[in-house]
Amino acid sequence: MGKTEIAKRMAAIFYDIGITKSANLVVATGADLVAQYIGQTAQTTRAVIKKAASGTLFVDEAYTLEPKSEKSFSKEAVEEIMNHLLSPSSDVPVFIFAGYQEEMERFLTINPGLK
């Protein structure tokens, strides 16, 4: 069984036990969250998060959001995700980040709130 299938089952469980208001699962990768131009990444990330409203957002291979340089747009995506994770009014109660163990351990260090 793969990561996405497990995320689908987890989203259904979260709904069944009342953690989420919907069994909605949105699957995204770093490429779905990061735009090509300055200033568009936050907007792109918000759009993906909005699709997951009341449900679960599954970010596969989340470690690809680790900034490769100081000017990396992926940093903006992580900041936008953190804004939603820390917001008491966020309409996406569950975020699942997946990827290879070593890369994910490094990913979790890019922002103290992720861990």
Side-chain angles (χ1 to χ4, degrees), residues 1-48:
M1 186 177 313
K3 296 177 286 189
T4 303
E5 184 59 32
I6 291 171
K8 286 179 188 176
R9 292 179 184 204
M10 290 177 66
I13 291 168
F14 294 145
Y15 173 68
D16 288 344
I17 63 175
I19 292 174
T20 61
K21 294 179 185 173
S22 165
N24 180 30
L25 173 72
V26 172
V27 179
T29 65
D32 298 318
L33 301 170
V34 178
Q36 294 179 334
Y37 303 103
I38 294 173
Q40 290 183 331
T41 294
Q43 183 179 7
T44 300
T45 302
R46 278 193 300 269
V48 172

Side-chain angles (χ1 to χ4, degrees), residues 19-20 43-44 50-51 68 77 82 106 110 114-115:
I19 292 174
T20 61
Q43 183 179 7
T44 300
K50 186 175 182 178
K51 286 181 188 176
K68 305 294 185 244
M82 291 308 303
R106 201 170 49 246
I110 64 175
L114 284 172
K115 206 165 203 175

Side-chain angles (χ1 to χ4, degrees), residues 31-87:
D32 298 318
L33 301 170
V34 178
Q36 294 179 334
Y37 303 103
I38 294 173
Q40 290 183 331
T41 294
Q43 183 179 7
T44 300
T45 302
R46 278 193 300 269
V48 172
I49 291 170
K50 186 175 182 178
K51 286 181 188 176
S54 301
T56 302
L57 176 60
F58 173 64
V59 181
D60 197 9
E61 305 202 12
Y63 58 84
T64 61
L65 291 171
E66 183 179 355
K68 305 294 185 244
S69 70
E70 189 60 37
K71 295 183 180 186
S72 175
F73 297 157
S74 61
K75 182 178 179 185
E76 188 178 353
V78 171
E79 289 171 0
E80 193 62 36
I81 289 168
M82 291 308 303
N83 287 340
H84 283 273
L85 284 171
L86 299 173
S87 172

